[in-house]
Amino acid sequence: EPLLGPLPFLGAVFLFTSALSCLVSNAACVVLVYGVLKDLHDGGGLAALRPAQVMLAMMMGASASFATPIGYQTNLMVLQPGGYSFADFARLGVPLTLSTALCAAASIYSLPASWLP
């Protein structure tokens, strides 16, 4: 079982993947994080969670790059024309990422086993 417990662990996976996705593309982020999570799960460190739950948290986190303008192409496209600054994205994106992480972790943890592969 994860040190934090299954629900906080899903939130931590989401937040770590989201933070990394703010710096590199979401595809590169998934490639980097997938191997670590797969090894962790295969080693028995995540017995309380199904592999699909961990991968869902990773995939959703990789798509939640709200905190920086360099995390996604459309964020960069509106940066200059909208007159936004880097701090504007952080000011609005960090709370949005945290609330999304909370909702995603709770939703993924409570999914019925019949819905997961």
Side-chain angles (χ1 to χ4, degrees):
E1 180 172 321
L3 181 64
L4 302 171
L7 184 59
F9 180 78
L10 289 173
V13 167
F14 183 101
L15 289 173
F16 174 75
T17 310
S18 178
L20 186 60
S21 183
C22 286
L23 303 173
V24 297
S25 73
N26 56 356
C29 179
V30 167
V31 168
L32 290 171
V33 176
Y34 173 79
V36 174
L37 292 176
K38 184 168 180 347
D39 289 346
L40 190 61
H41 195 277
D42 291 346
L46 303 175
L49 294 168
R50 296 178 65 128
Q53 289 174 304
V54 178
M55 295 303 130
L56 276 170
M58 176 196 63
M59 291 185 302
M60 291 180 75
S63 296
S65 55
F66 307 128
T68 64
I70 58 174
Y72 196 66
Q73 300 92 329
T74 52
N75 293 0
L76 275 176
M77 290 170 62
V78 300
L79 179 66
Q80 190 171 3
Y84 300 116
S85 69
F86 197 92
D88 292 331
F89 280 89
R91 184 174 44 246
L92 296 172
V94 170
L96 181 60
T97 301
L98 291 174
S99 62
T100 305
L102 180 66
C103 292
S107 299
I108 293 167
Y109 184 68
S110 63
L111 281 175
S114 62
W115 290 12
L116 298 169

